Amino acid sequence: MKSFTAIAFASLALINIVHGHYIWQYLTANGVKGSLYQNLRINTNNNSPVTDLASNDLRCNVGGADGSKSTTVSVAAGASITFTADQAVYHQGPVSFYMTKVASAASADGSSSWFKIKEIGPTFPGGTWDLEQSYSVTLPSCVAAGEYLVRIEQLAIHNPGSPPQFYINCAQVKVTGSGSKSFSGVNIPGHVKATDPGYTVNIYNNFNNYTVPGPAVSTC
Ligand SMILES: *[C@@H]1O[C@H](CO)[C@@H](O)[C@H](O)[C@H]1NC(C)=O
Ligand SMILES: [Cu+2]
């Protein structure tokens, strides 16, 4: 079993080198898939992940603090949006979605408080992950109208060979509707701790349960 695990890791490392990773590049809103980076922050790290738990790049990816070149899309509270990557996600791990309310989605740097609106963990028995090229999230129907950054985070778990990798981006969204609810949240970085079981877990060995890192999902 041990040697099988070692071989599995060796081949995973090779896949990394050969195929590269993935980038969140398209947003579908109001049923329309946008053009490249339309209504999304534009990252400058190609398809590389963020791995530093203390980095501000965890907010909206490397380069993603600047929203000046991106547009903002109006979406009704309760509607769904979809993030699509340049290729299907293939590193195993959870997907989480967060929102932060801001004065202007185009000028926000992500330093405000984030609340989680959805998480996708593995299914057991087996510990099978939902690996897709696109993931959708429904914006809470009760959330206050106004501008938000909506963030996708895929955490690619690479333990124990190398640290987990964050694949992230932020959409610029103006939520419309009559909702008035504001949720308390967490700061990013800081939302995932180096000691979180969902961050440290070895998914190849005795993998029977899992808690997605970060706060609990906020619901109406
Ligand atoms: C699985 O459950 C045990 C017992 O509650 C807990 O200690 C452990 O951290 C959990 N593992 C993960 C990866 O969440
Ligand atoms: Cu990769």
Side-chain angles (χ1 to χ4, degrees), residues 41 56 58-61 64 83 97-102 108-117 148-152 168-171 183-191 214-216 218:
R41 291 292 169 93
N56 287 346
L58 275 183
R59 294 169 181 163
C60 297
N61 208 354
F83 293 81
F97 298 88
Y98 290 76
M99 292 176 77
T100 185
K101 194 163 193 307
V102 295
D109 66 0
S111 58
S112 45
S113 166
W114 296 83
F115 54 98
K116 191 191 271 177
I117 55 172
Y148 290 82
L149 297 178
V150 183
R151 174 179 178 273
I152 186 169
I168 38 200
N169 202 351
C170 296
F183 295 100
S184 62
V186 295
N187 289 325
I188 301 176
H191 69 309
S218 298

Side-chain angles (χ1 to χ4, degrees), residues 197-198 201 207 209-211:
V201 64
F207 184 45
N209 62 296
Y210 186 79
T211 304

Side-chain angles (χ1 to χ4, degrees), residues 196-202 207-212:
D196 287 344
Y199 181 83
T200 59
V201 64
N202 181 341
F207 184 45
N208 299 311
N209 62 296
Y210 186 79
T211 304
V212 178

Side-chain angles (χ1 to χ4, degrees), residues 38-152:
Q38 188 176 358
N39 305 312
L40 283 171
R41 291 292 169 93
I42 302 166
N43 66 295
T44 54
N45 58 338
N46 192 15
N47 58 13
S48 296
V50 178
T51 56
D52 180 356
L53 285 179
S55 172
N56 287 346
D57 293 336
L58 275 183
R59 294 169 181 163
C60 297
N61 208 354
V62 179
D66 178 12
S68 63
K69 295 185 187 67
S70 303
T71 50
T72 299
V73 62
S74 289
V75 179
S80 146
I81 61 173
T82 301
F83 293 81
T84 299
D86 59 329
Q87 61 171 317
V89 164
Y90 61 90
H91 289 314
Q92 301 180 84
V95 175
S96 303
F97 298 88
Y98 290 76
M99 292 176 77
T100 185
K101 194 163 193 307
V102 295
S104 158
S107 55
D109 66 0
S111 58
S112 45
S113 166
W114 296 83
F115 54 98
K116 191 191 271 177
I117 55 172
K118 183 180 182 179
E119 62 185 28
I120 307 171
T123 51
F124 293 99
T128 307
W129 302 91
D130 182 22
L131 303 180
E132 310 287 349
Q133 187 165 3
S134 296
Y135 294 94
S136 298
V137 62
T138 300
L139 306 180
S141 56
C142 61
V143 81
E147 300 208 2
Y148 290 82
L149 297 178
V150 183
R151 174 179 178 273
I152 186 169

Side-chain angles (χ1 to χ4, degrees), residues 3 24 51 165:
S3 59
W24 300 111
T51 56
Q165 305 173 339

